[in-house]
Amino acid sequence: MIPFIVTAFVAFLFYLVLVVGSGSVLFWSWEEIIAGVIIGLVTGVIARKIFCRSENYRMLHPVRLISILIYICGPFLVELTKANLDVAYRVITGNVRPGIIRLHSGMKSDLALTMLAHSITLTPGTLSVDVDGKNHDLFIHVIHLDEGVEKKEAFEAGEIFSYMNIPAWIRRIAE
Amino acid sequence: MIADTIIFIFLIIGLLFNALGVLGLLRFPDVYTRLHASTKATTFGSIFLCLGVVVFAISQYLGTSDSQYLMVITHTIIAVFALAITNAAGSHAIARAAHRSGQKPDPVVVDKLTEAGL
């Protein structure tokens, strides 16, 4: 029952976001709200086993949801900007020294590992290539390694980010 | 008037980063470094293009208070999130597929993935 309610409510909210500005009840018209309720119920019946596959509802906690927004608008945006300026510099000068390194992610859950891999792909000159399923190590392609760094056996997750402590944020959100 | 200036600045920054992404796709030596250019630069450029759309919609909404422009804002923000997530997942899938099919990184100083033999 809980998966059905969660899925239907999320689908209803998403439909409301998509049709905002259609009428006079706050921002919506009655027709769109009724259509949203029907669509939410149908989606809840169809997709409840896919949407709530892990049977674990810790991500519904409002503090986690708000901290996702703060994370995207704050630390992640800073790292994204820095990464793009860095890649733009390398495109113009052609000064690259690439390599694939091993990274101890230190994440326990799959969701946290996915978020870390996505953050790594979108931030500083790094691209996640593969994952070691046994101990949750990530293999990262780095576009520019400094001299001598490639001797190291494995990196810690915090070392490849420059300003913000991204792994601590992800651990706070998803674990 | 000031909204027009902000929109122009956002569009210029966005087009600049998208153009750099295309340039990197042509200049870089192998598939992985090309993925760097095509994912990061185009994501950032598209975020700025979408910001231009959001600023336009906000200025129109304040001028005419037509609530249809709210829909433009929310749809653009959803498009930005979808773009960022699919870009990261897609580039990861391409990189993994390339490495599995034997396309090794060509100028390379260290390759732990081949050493690990996964």
Side-chain angles (χ1 to χ4, degrees), chain B residues 2-93:
Chain B
I2 190 150
D4 283 349
T5 319
I6 297 173
I7 292 168
F8 271 124
I9 292 171
F10 280 160
L11 287 184
I12 288 170
I13 295 175
L15 284 177
L16 191 72
F17 272 100
N18 275 349
L20 281 174
V22 176
L23 198 63
L25 201 61
L26 295 171
R27 266 177 70 96
F28 278 153
D30 67 340
V31 58
Y32 304 96
T33 43
R34 282 178 177 167
L35 275 175
H36 279 285
S38 65
T39 54
K40 286 191 209 22
T42 51
T43 309
F44 202 60
S46 308
I47 285 174
F48 270 98
L49 293 182
C50 292
L51 270 180
V53 175
V54 169
V55 171
F56 170 74
I58 289 174
S59 70
Q60 292 292 314
Y61 180 66
L62 294 179
T64 62
S65 66
D66 183 354
S67 61
Q68 292 293 326
Y69 287 109
L70 289 175
M71 201 186 278
V72 177
I73 298 173
T74 54
H75 284 206
T76 316
I77 291 171
I78 290 172
V80 169
F81 278 101
L83 197 71
I85 293 171
T86 53
N87 221 330
S91 68
H92 163 67

Side-chain angles (χ1 to χ4, degrees), chain A residues 17-18 20-21 27 72 80-81 84-85 87-88 90-94 96-102 118 121-123 125-130 132 139 141 143 145 150 152-153, chain B residues 17 20 23-24 27-28 32-33 35-36 40-41 43-44 47 67-68 70-71 74-75 78 81 84-85 88-89 91-92 95-96 99 105 107-113 116 118:
Chain A
V17 170
L18 281 178
V20 68
F27 296 112
I72 290 174
L80 186 64
T81 313
N84 278 285
L85 294 177
V87 170
R90 306 225 173 273
V91 167
I92 294 168
T93 60
V96 293
R97 197 166 176 277
I100 295 182
I101 61 170
R102 179 191 275 269
H118 275 50
T121 300
L122 286 175
T123 52
T126 47
L127 177 74
S128 48
V129 177
D130 210 337
D132 189 343
F139 292 95
H141 183 272
I143 198 168
L145 283 167
E150 70 267 17
K152 231 160 135 178
E153 188 56 40
Chain B
F17 272 100
L20 281 174
L23 198 63
R27 266 177 70 96
F28 278 153
Y32 304 96
T33 43
L35 275 175
H36 279 285
K40 286 191 209 22
T43 309
F44 202 60
I47 285 174
S67 61
Q68 292 293 326
L70 289 175
M71 201 186 278
T74 54
H75 284 206
I78 290 172
F81 278 101
I85 293 171
S91 68
H92 163 67
R96 186 162 184 266
H99 205 281
V108 71
V109 291
V110 60
D111 191 351
K112 292 282 182 209
L113 183 51
L118 282 174

